[in-house]
Amino acid sequence: MPGNASGDPQPPIVSVVMPVYNVERYVEEAVRSILGQSLRDLELIVIDDGSTDATPAILDEVAHGDQRMRVVRQGRAGAIAGFNRGAAAARGHYLAWLGGDDVACPNRLAVQVAFLDAHPDVAAVGGSVIVIDATGQTVGSLRYPTASDAIEKMLVSANPIAAPAALIRKAAFEAVGRCRSPFVGAEDYDLWLRLSERYTLANISDTVVYYRVHDNQVSSRSFEQVALSTNAALLSARARRSGVPDPFDGGGLITRSRLLAAGLEETAIDERIAQLTAVRATVLTVSGRAQQALVLLDSVSASRSMDSLSREVRAMLAISRARALWALGDKRGSVRQGVLGLRTDSAYTARAAYRGLMDGIGRQQQGNVL
């Protein structure tokens, strides 16, 4: 790494922070996708969050061959603590986010750095994502809005930037107080909301990351926590914009009781959980785990009153179940669920059918991307 007149190394343009935990099957590919970037002026800080498998040995072996990589080990503290620790140690002007089971496209950092260099008002930029399964097979794609007004519109109800695809100005990240530990599973959404109050957010249309879905990612318990944290992030944003104290600024795990105490109705919590469940079940289905998708959908249907949900979310659940049943060979059951979705919310069902068709065409064209 080049030095300056005093002999100290020049800081890199980008610091990539990668919190990892027991990802021995994927971590070498994730690391090499960063070290092999077309933009060479970078550092990679891997935070090993107490891994108990072969992950530490793999990291040591790869780091030995490239001085741009540092491995920091900590006791089990979670991904939020890991990312904040890596960001605190980062020397780069920009911070990139990548999971230890994901893969960065070769030109990802080059195109995102060029974008932020050309748009000094933008604090964070994301991009399009290709979803892959455990073996690297393409199972779908995620496209995010690129127009600023569309990003602002999406931000009031959903995450407009994929965290593994994000490049962030470090100064802006520090200015808003980094990621907040209570928002488990929605720490990125909470961050975008806080950044949006001071800066502009953006996405580029380029595909920048292969996001991997696999069995060890999300349990049903932690999945519900994502929904609770997402609701809390929105409540926090509304409080700040109304000039009242943020109800979740003091730390502590976000629970259903805390959301109710902050004024959120029980039906709104169930609505969010059901919505995220439908999305997750669809991802499970397209990645070859339709039976798991049905189990997840059944758990939501059994524990909540469907009548309390909006028409759109009930249609989402029906279409997600239809996809799972079709994948399992139950064509008759799939058609029944499709008709139910159509009767519940025809507009949503039509959009879902179109997206499914486009994703199917994309998979046929792309094949195995790795």
Side-chain angles (χ1 to χ4, degrees), residues 211-230:
Y211 174 73
R212 195 184 306 272
V213 292
H214 55 87
D215 288 337
N216 297 330
Q217 275 178 314
V218 182
S219 67
S220 58
R221 181 178 179 182
S222 64
F223 183 72
E224 182 156 335
Q225 187 61 53
V226 172
L228 296 176
S229 296
T230 301

Side-chain angles (χ1 to χ4, degrees), residues 168-217:
I168 312 165
R169 295 185 191 275
K170 185 181 179 183
F173 180 75
E174 298 290 349
V176 299
R178 305 180 181 178
C179 292
R180 297 199 292 176
S181 59
F183 295 84
V184 176
E187 64 272 12
D188 52 338
Y189 186 35
D190 175 62
L191 176 63
W192 310 144
L193 285 165
R194 287 181 289 124
L195 282 172
S196 71
E197 294 163 11
R198 301 192 191 188
Y199 311 98
T200 301
L201 304 177
N203 283 302
I204 56 176
S205 59
D206 306 56
T207 297
V208 295
V209 164
Y210 299 125
Y211 174 73
R212 195 184 306 272
V213 292
H214 55 87
D215 288 337
N216 297 330
Q217 275 178 314

